[in-house]
Structure formats: C-alpha cells, structure tokens
Amino acid sequence: MKKLLRQPWVIALILVAAAVTGWIASLSPQGANARVAGIERPPQSRSHLDHGGFFNTPLADGPAVTRACLECHPQSASQVMHTAHFRWLGEDVEVPGHKGKTQIGKRNLINNFCIGISGNWPSCTRCHAGYGWTDETFDFEQPTNVDCLVCHERTGSYAKVEAGLPQSDVDLVAAARSVGFPRRNNCGGCHSFGGGGVGVKHGDLDNSLDHPEAADDVHMGRLGFLCIDCHVTQQHRITGRSMSVSVDDQDGIGCQDCHQVEPHEDERLNAHLAAVSCEACHIPSFARRVPTKMEWDWSQAGDDTRADDPHTYLKIKGSFVYGTDMTPKYFWFNGRSRRYLLGDVIDPNEPTPINYPLGSRGDPSAKITPFKVHWAKQPYDQQTQQLIVPVTSGKGGYWHDFDWDQALRLGAERNGQTYSGDYDFASTVMYWPLSHMVTPKQEALMCEACHGARSRLDWVGLGYDADPISGGGRR
Amino acid sequence: MRRSIATIGAVTLLTCALSTPALGASKLHPRFPVLDAAGEHIQSSGQPPDSAATCGKCHDAFYIDAHSSHVNSARQADCFDCHVEDVAAWSAEAFDEDGLLRREVVGVGSATSERCGRCHGLVVLPGEPVSLPEDYASVRQLDIKGFRYGLSVTTGTIYSGQPVSKSYVNLENKGELSFPWDVHAERLVGCPACHAAANNPAQAQTGRGKLSYIGRDPRTPTISAYLEHPDHRLTNASCLSCHEPTAAHDFLPHQRRHFEALACQSCHVPQVFAPSLAWQDATVVDLRGEPLREYRGFETTNEPLGSAFGHGHAPFLVPWETADGNRKVGPFNPVARFFWVDEQGAQVPQETVRRAYTNDGQYWPEVLALLDKDGDKVLHADELVLRDTAAVQLIASRMAALGVVGPRIRGLVDAFPVVHGVTRGRGVTKKCGECHATGSRLTGDITIAARLPGGVAPEIGPRLKTWRGGRVEASGASIRWTRDAETSDLYVFGHTRVSWSDRTGLFLFALAFLGVLSHGSYRFYTRKRRSPHAVRTERKYLYSAYERIWHWLMAAGVLALLVTGFQIHYPAQLHLMAFDAAVTLHDVLAVVMVANAFLSFFYHLASSAILQFVPDRRGLMPSLLAQVRYYTQGIFLGQPHPTAKTAQRKLNPLQQLTYLTLLNILLPLQVTTGVLIWTGSRWPEALAAVGGLSIIGPLHNLGSWLLLTFFVVHLYLITTGHTLTSNLAAMIDGYDEVEVPSSGTTADGGSRA
C-alpha cells in the first residue's frame, strides 16, 4: 500500500477524484442554498466569564462598582472616557455652512424634541453612561465617573435616576455579579427611550426590539442579533453613527459590511443599488408596534384647560402627534448632513431644518434613503432670530413655573446666548435615517410601492421629471 | 372623536382615489367638442355622445373599425370604452363657451390594464387587496369576450402585482406564497405592453415583421400618421418579444431542447391560485337559479368562492401542436360547458331554465321527485345532474311548456392555454421531477368534467383539437383526456418508458447476474477439492503505467456514467443526486470518457498493443472451446488456465472476442446515440433521420444495460485469475502472478512470441 501511494499517478488520481467529488458536491442543492442569503459575515457567538463569584464586599454607590471593575480591567474606564458615549462630544469636524472646525455632540447640539441638555443636565443625563453629571463642572477625566453597569449588567433591575446615579434600591452587588456583553435591552434602555419616552425619537428603535419577532426586525427577531453584532465594538469604541448628533458617516455601519454587494438573484434589483439604499425597500415602515412621535408643538404647552394624555397633550410639553406603522419619507443621502448650531440665524417664516441629509440626484455617492421626519414648533428669539434652549427641568425651569420668558432667559444664559425677551415659536424639522426594523425579505417593498400611479416617492422632489421607470434612472 | 377620524380617513381615501388616474390620461390631448351620432354638440342636443362622430373628427374611425380586434360580430367596442377616463364627466358644465371640453375633464389617453380588466379578467390595482369578487363565477359565455373575469375564470390567473400571501383569497399555506400573482403586474408591465396597436411607433420593437428575414421594420409611421390611423389589431407579444431566455437559464442543462419543447409558462406558471373552472352545467340550476360549477384548486361545497378554501392548482401539462406545426408542451385548463339550446341552436335563457326547475325558491315537486336519489328532499350537487333520458325528457318537456321549441342539451369542451399569471422567484418551478419522473405532470388522464348531462357527446373546441398524445373520451358520466400509453414522439428522460428497451436490458442483465451467481456459488462449493498450488507461477510485469491509468479511468468513467445514467432514467426511484446535477455530470463524464477512449486508441495503435485484441484466426475455435471448457469444467477442478498470460498476449480468445464487440459495437453505439441525444436540438435533422429520440433514447438505455451486464461479468471474471485477487493486483501495480504452463498443456501457449 505504501509503495502504491508513492506512485505519482495514484496521487494524481486521488487528487482528480477529490476535485471531481468537490465539483459534484457543488452541484447539489445544498451547495446552492448556502449562497441564497447573501451573507458574507455571520454574527459571532461569544461567551463571557461568569462574574457571579466576584464582588464579595458591599458596594456603596456607582463609583464604588466602577472602582471594583477597574481592579481587573484597568484600561476600561479610560477607553470609555474617550468615546462619545461618555463625552457626548465628537472629534473636530467641519460642519457644512460653518467656518472652521467644531466639536459637536449631544452636549452642545439642539434638537426639536426636548431641545437641548445645557441647563437641563440632571434630567437629560439619566441616560449618560456616567455618574453625577449635574452641571457644566462635571469631571470627564475622573475614571470612577464611568458607569459600567448600564451597558454590562444583566439583572434587568438596574435603573438610573437624575444625573445618571443608580436608583437607591438597586442591588449593586447583584448587578455587578451579573455583568456580561451588552444585550439589546442594555442599549435600548437609553436608545429606545430617547426624547423622554419609549419610541419617541428614532422611530426605528423602541422596546419592541427587546424581544422582537421576525416581522419587527429580521436580524434581532429571527436571527437573535444583539446590537453589538453590527455595532462592532473594540476597546469600548462602538461603531455606528447617528445623524442627529453628527454630520458625517465616520464609523458608520452598512448592510454590505455583512451582505454581498449584489445580494439579489434578480439583476434588476441589484441595478437599483446604484441609487437606492438597502433600507429604502427593506424598512418599508417604522414604529411598526410602538408609536413614535411625529410632531411636537411646544407653543401649546402651559394650557391648564387641556387634559394631559401622554400621546396627545402634556401641559409641560405641549401637544404631540404620534404615529404607528408609519411610511418613511425618502431623500437622497450621501452620509453627510447639514446641521443647525446654536447661534445660527433662522428664517421664522420657513421651517428650519435642525439637520438635513446631503446628497442629490447628481451626487453619485448619494442614495435614496428612508427617513423619519419629525416636525416641531420650538421657541426662538424674535430679535436675534436664533433658536433658544430653554431650561425645562429643575429650578426656574418651564416645567415648574410655566414661564417661557424665565425659562428662555435662564437657558440663554447657560448657553452663552443673548436673549431679548421677545420670543415666539418657529417650525423646525429633523431627519432621522432609518436603519433598524429591517423586515423579512417577503415584506420588502415591491416595484409598485415606488413606481406607477401610487408611488410613495416624491419623484419630482427627488429631482426627476417623473417616475424613472420609463425614462431610466440617473446617469 | 372616533367619528371625526373615520371621516378624515374617508376623505383621505376619496382624495387618493380621485387623484389616482384610472387611465393613462394624456396631458397633451387637445380639447375637443363632444358630438352625438348626428354630429350635434351633446350639451345642446342632450343626446349621448358618439365616439365615431367625436373622435372621428381627427382619428380615422372607419379605418380603426376595420382594423380592430375589438370590433366584430360579437362585440362593438367604441373609443370611449378604452380611452376615456369618465364619459359621465362630460356634463353640460364640462364645456367652455367655445363648446370645447374644459382642460381638466378631457381625460383621454392610452388604455390601461385596469381598463382591459373591465371586460377580460380580474385586474387588481396596486394598493388594493386581491379578493374574489362576488360575481367572479358569473360566466355567460365560454370565451374571454363578453364576461368580466373570463381570462381569470378559465385559467385561474389574476393580474396583480401583489404577493399571493397578502391577498384575501383563502389559500392553504398562504404565508409561503410570497411571490406575485403576476410578475408583469408587479413590474408595472401593463396589458398594453404586450397587446399594443400593431403600428404604434413606440411599440414597434415588440412587433416582429411577417417576413422571416426582417426582425424589426424601421419604417414605422410618424406619430401623426399613427394617431390618424392606429391599427387596433392588437399584438400578442410572446415571451420572446422581450425576454432573452438563454441569458437567464444557466442552471438548466440542455437549454435549447427545453426552449424548443416547452412553453415558458410550463415552468413559469407551475401553479395558479385563483379558481379555474372545470365545468359549468347550465342544464340544471341551483336554488339561486345559477348553473352548477366546479373549480380546480378550490373546495366549493356551499360557501361563496370568496371564502372557499383553496389549494391552488397545477395546470395540466399537455403536448400540443402550435400554429406553425411544432410540438410543444404547455399548461392548459380544459373547460366543459353544458347548456340547453332550442331548435335554432340558440341558447335557452338562464331565466327559462330556472323557471323549469324552481318556483318561488323551491324545486318543483316532480323535479325533486325525479332527481332526489337519497330522498332527503334536498338536491345535492351530485344529484343535480341530468343522468338519464327520463330526467332530460322531464326538463325538456317543462321547457317546451315555457315556450322553448325543441329543447336539447349541447355540450362544448375546449382548452384554455395558461399564458398569464407568470410569476417569479419561489413561484417558478425548478423541479425537474415535475416532468422528468415516472408519475410526473405529463402522466395520467385528465378528468375534464365528472359529468355528462344527457349523455350528449360534447363538441370539441379548436384549442382542444390542437392537443396531442391522447384523445377526448366522453362516456359514462365524465369527459376525460386519455393519454396514449407510449407517446410516439415525446421522449422525456426519466418519464418515458419504452418497454422493449427496458425489458431486454433487464433480462440480459438478470441472466448474466444469475449466471455469475451460480458459477460463483459452485466454485465456492467445490473450493476444497482443488489444490491451491497445483501449478507453478511466475511474477511478470504485464500492464504498463499508462494501461493501468486508462483502464481505471475507463472503469471509473463507465461506473459513474452508469450511476448518473440510471439516476436520469429512474429519478423517482433513485435519489443519489439531483436530476439536473446527474444530467450535467453525465454529459461531462461522457466527454471525458470519449477523450480517454480516443487517447487509449492512439496508444494501442502506436504501440501495436492493439494486436492484443485481434484473435489468432488459426486455431481460434479449439482455443475458444478450451477456454469455454475451462470456465465450465476446469475451473471447478483446479485445472490450470488453458491460455498462458504473457506480456505479448494478455487476453484469452474469449476476452478478445468480448472486447472486440465491446469496443467496436457497444462503445460506438453508446457514443453515437449519446451524441445524437446531446445535440438533438442543435441538429434535429440528424436525430430525426435515425428515428428521433423515441428510438435513440431507448437504444442508449439498452446499451447501458449491456454495459452494466458486461461490468458485472467482468467483475466476476477478475476473480478467476491464479488467485481471487491476482488479476486485481495486476491492474494496480502492473505485476501479475501468472501460471507457467507445464509443457504440453496448451496448444498455443506463447506461440505468438
């Protein structure tokens, strides 16, 4: 036998046989199926060391937990302290329409929901991954100010109150012993509740994704994805970019990070990818189960005669319109956006975009992308024609005294703005690109959703003369 | 509050409906006066508008009438039917002082799918759920003309881009049917895309010329000439008018043959999900006064179709003869229809039939008495049939009493090609076994109607007359299509069985197998009588490396060809690999085999080794007999081999004869028939000249049985060397343990040296 194996033709024969076997195997239907999903990088399964045996002394407060964590993970706090999750501020960027470079982030931007955090710190920083941010003097260089538990604990009983401190009845030792890789409800605890309630802000993130069905989100519901499967994290730097607090697509995540560049069997569908984002067809609607806020009118606030109803009117916040299973609006988007910065002058007769997706039909890097569009009426100074961040929560805030003048004066002071005392409410609009709540492929949009007589797209608004089905796409 | 939301919703819906043009109304069409038949403005005359007078001012109405598929004895469509959004909108207020229609109410444009659907079939627009309308069943005529859902009812297809899974139709496993009712509707290819005015310059590329050497005539009319004389004989584009099938069927082995023998719809409409009519019996009525009907793919006992439970239905695949005389296989839905006619042959109105059967919502007592077989005072569907003369005569006499002269039953049966309802993705079948298997969709008789009222033989419609490979049988209580047992010219691999080929092959194989079995058993039984070392042996180098390579390649190739070949022939019984994989593998292996055979032929020729196979004519008979005697007697007694094996003479005369036959007859037969089958669609004349697939296919099959037979015998004879495995070992390392003849045992041992 040994002699036989030394014969070159026997080896050649074995190699040929192996090649032929491989080829035959590729002809079998299983071989073909493996390609159907078009997945190039399936998610990893990961195991985490059980911390149940650690933390044998009582832990007095949040920083005490962090100190205990740092005993074994000395680098972790400093890693977190350099991220936007802790600093709420990004790197220097050029903001379109503004000179020079600025650092922008939650810390200094305004939105058209609760408007801005300056002056409202304790209330807003409930969602800060840190402890004790009550005013502008907060120490961002103090490692024990980092909150490890909010992302890593798995008891589900951890809750944060004002300034991000743990609620007094939380069993910190139990929480510390439960730590592991972040699960969906760790991330969702803040990101699903942005804007002051479940589903308010994003429209594609709410607590229906804690235990989703396939129809809610095919990745999380059918395949059990965790957030960190896509938001790949190294040294506490979490990838992903939100257009509400940034103006570029650095560290952004794309479908094609995992999926093939030409994922469809149908050439015609693949041809669409030159101009249409994956999300446009695969996120046919948002807020499918939990309502999201579509409109917010601050000017209606303070009316004692109206009954409070969290989905239509609150005296402290004004009136709202919520929507469920909403159809997105579609715009060209190249990953960069325009941004309103404090101090920018507005035209009160026109709706002011707080942010706005950049891109056009003529921009080859832009794709038609689905957005949630949020409209609001929020206060501005009629003299300076600038939007003002009011103080809402806390002492002297609007929610206590229902006095806009006082709230705006205090807010302007804390933000270094001038306030003339002459305020009114202006229309503003924010654009939230949709990337979660991807449906199973059977539910993806079909041709007639965009083409033909009943199109959901505004072709003229997108820069076409008419539906390009007969005239062809952009060239 | 709730009410106000509802109101808002209703208003929104209404606005949507109004803002969505039902017709492709043109913004360019000029304003015009609307005239009545006398040529007067309708706003002054108060008469209804007349399309010939109104449109005929600019468009040549006489020409259009003479060149229209919508103007004939059965139907007189006018321009408004297809081209005007809403004639009712042309009220007195619709006109300006100049007597012309206001811009916003002109509403003239091209026809749309929605408009075609008003007469021809169920067309559901985007955004509306597909459901079966209440009047879906109200078929009055057995043709697509003249009743609303004809195309849908007769074929089970619906024109809608909606996924079947999202429709309101009550279908089994609906959630899995995530493909559209019609892919063309989904992709916004409307009816007019394929059924366009023949001389429309915008559509000219879809209409192929009548001249064989002209693909497209560039001399299209100018737009103005076309608008004056639009040829309304609408085109019937075929799939090939737009599609290039060779670019999309890489996975399909023997593409050309498939395209030639199959209508595209055979695979692309493998199932229809709307109820397709099997028969309609208007010789009887139910208590609503409606004829009785049965649908394929739907369980309709008592409930309306809209909520009936359906499974979908695979249309019958039948070979038929196309207009140009070719034979193709395509999907059809055959429909039988029975009704009363009078002396003149005119159909008796349904109302008259109803009065003959029922009064005030009840059957007349004498009708009930005659038809109620189980005596429960209710006429079930299986009782509501005029089986015998007594029943026919009773109803005929009742009808005569109602003033019908000479009533008699007439039956019509025709087949409707399933050409619409083309789907995509998972809706399209890629299962070869739907045709290539013993019990495939090409098998089995088709029950067209499970009833035959009055025993009247039905007239066979023109499209059913094009069916081939069987015949219509109307007898007893049904109308059936009976397929011929062995189709003469449709040879489908894996499906068609030709008995002479299979039986002969199996017989020869069984014979050889039994022979080998009994010979082997007897050798085993007599093994102790033989002394193992009766003869002296010598180790000799017999087979060169190349000889061994080609032998094993040949062995592996033949074995693989046999396996794949039998997988192709018996796909329903063997499940070693997918059918298409077996076909591709078989084709490739065949090429490898032929190449190997050719190389070894060259080797044998060049090295004179070919002489090994040529028997020595002198002394052939005695040595043959000696060999036969050895196999029948000597081998059991432990006698030495009669022919000495030497490097110059490796084969005994029996082997020589066998290999001569194998290499000169069987191998060429298999190669020739195989090549003919493979190239059958490229050079059909060559295939036809030798009898077509129905001869060549079975011959190739018989050849493979013979090869299998050889293979079994060969395997056995390997064990008849000096020891059980010495021959096998020789073919592996080249050295054989050969018996050295003691002098005088054979006449010709080594004589050729």
Side-chain angles (χ1 to χ4, degrees), chain A residues 3-4 7 9 13 23-24 27-29 265-269 442-444 446-448 451-454 467 469, chain B residues 20 125-128 161-163 166 178 180 185-188 424 426 545 548-549 552 578 581 584-585 588 732:
Chain A
K3 201 176 122 200
L4 203 65
Q7 300 248 21
W9 65 268
L13 213 65
W23 177 63
I24 294 170
L27 285 175
S28 69
E265 278 182 28
D266 189 326
E267 282 176 47
R268 191 181 290 278
L269 294 185
Q442 291 81 2
E443 301 296 319
M446 293 168 56
C447 315
E448 62 195 30
H451 296 292
R454 299 186 181 189
D467 184 350
I469 193 169
Chain B
T20 309
L125 296 180
E128 292 168 18
Q162 194 181 65
K166 290 193 178 166
S178 56
E186 185 209 18
R187 306 267 156 129
L188 289 102
R424 64 159 169 84
R426 294 169 58 191
R548 280 174 281 148
I549 289 177
W552 286 116
T584 311
L585 212 54
V588 173
I732 292 172

Side-chain angles (χ1 to χ4, degrees), chain B residues 411-553:
Chain B
L412 274 177
V413 55
D414 205 354
F416 293 84
V418 182
V419 289
H420 299 95
V422 175
T423 187
R424 64 159 169 84
R426 294 169 58 191
V428 179
T429 189
K430 279 188 180 177
K431 292 184 201 130
C432 310
E434 292 209 357
C435 292
H436 295 280
T438 328
S440 77
R441 284 174 66 195
L442 296 168
T443 324
D445 295 347
I446 297 166
T447 302
I448 299 173
R451 59 170 58 202
L452 192 60
V456 178
E459 294 155 39
I460 297 174
R463 280 159 298 206
L464 189 53
K465 280 184 183 153
T466 65
W467 281 20
R468 295 291 177 267
R471 65 208 169 281
V472 178
E473 280 185 0
S475 61
S478 67
I479 306 176
R480 289 174 314 282
W481 173 258
T482 315
R483 304 211 201 221
D484 296 340
E486 283 183 11
T487 29
S488 52
D489 55 357
L490 185 78
Y491 189 89
V492 181
F493 290 93
H495 163 71
T496 311
R497 298 272 168 268
V498 176
S499 48
W500 61 260
S501 145
D502 275 334
R503 282 188 195 158
T504 317
L506 188 64
F507 175 73
L508 289 172
F509 170 74
L511 208 63
F513 190 74
L514 286 176
V516 159
L517 208 62
S518 41
H519 195 273
S521 311
Y522 192 60
R523 260 175 81 204
F524 183 73
Y525 179 69
T526 57
R527 71 192 184 284
K528 285 185 183 149
R529 292 185 213 161
R530 296 190 290 272
S531 113
H533 299 294
V535 282
R536 198 162 59 84
T537 63
E538 191 181 345
R539 200 169 145 79
K540 274 190 187 166
Y541 186 68
L542 281 189
Y543 305 106
S544 70
Y546 176 72
E547 282 175 318
R548 280 174 281 148
I549 289 177
W550 88 253
H551 169 267
W552 286 116
L553 264 179

Side-chain angles (χ1 to χ4, degrees), chain B residues 352-389:
Chain B
T352 313
V353 185
R354 187 188 65 75
R355 282 166 59 206
Y357 273 91
T358 65
N359 178 35
D360 201 16
Q362 297 296 319
Y363 289 108
W364 291 104
E366 50 270 50
V367 173
L368 194 64
L370 194 71
L371 295 179
D372 186 15
K373 302 285 183 212
D374 62 3
D376 65 354
K377 307 281 179 211
V378 181
L379 291 186
H380 304 284
D382 58 343
E383 292 169 328
L384 262 174
V385 54
L386 302 178
R387 275 200 191 85
D388 44 39
T389 346

Side-chain angles (χ1 to χ4, degrees), chain A residues 81-150:
Chain A
M81 281 153 55
H82 287 96
T83 67
H85 267 90
F86 188 72
R87 304 186 66 77
W88 284 14
L89 205 59
E91 308 293 323
D92 272 335
V93 286
E94 279 178 29
V95 180
H98 298 80
K99 280 182 191 147
K101 288 191 168 183
T102 1
Q103 285 188 315
I104 56 167
K106 283 181 101 65
R107 216 198 287 187
N108 60 7
L109 290 176
I110 74 165
N111 61 40
N112 68 358
F113 292 84
C114 300
I115 302 181
I117 73 157
S118 297
N120 298 306
W121 293 287
S123 182
C124 298
T125 58
R126 276 171 209 267
C127 267
H128 181 233
Y131 298 123
W133 186 355
T134 51
D135 53 37
E136 60 265 70
T137 65
F138 178 69
D139 185 357
F140 288 95
E141 306 302 327
Q142 174 57 256
T144 53
N145 278 353
V146 172
D147 180 354
C148 307
L149 291 178
V150 69

Side-chain angles (χ1 to χ4, degrees), chain A residues 293-326:
Chain A
K293 201 174 272 189
M294 302 302 293
E295 292 174 31
W296 185 335
D297 185 352
W298 279 100
S299 71
Q300 305 285 315
D303 188 346
D304 279 321
T305 63
R306 290 176 72 170
D308 272 1
D309 173 336
H311 284 107
T312 54
Y313 183 79
L314 287 176
K315 186 188 170 192
I316 59 167
K317 293 184 175 180
S319 64
F320 323 117
V321 175
Y322 275 81
T324 312
D325 201 15
M326 299 301 293

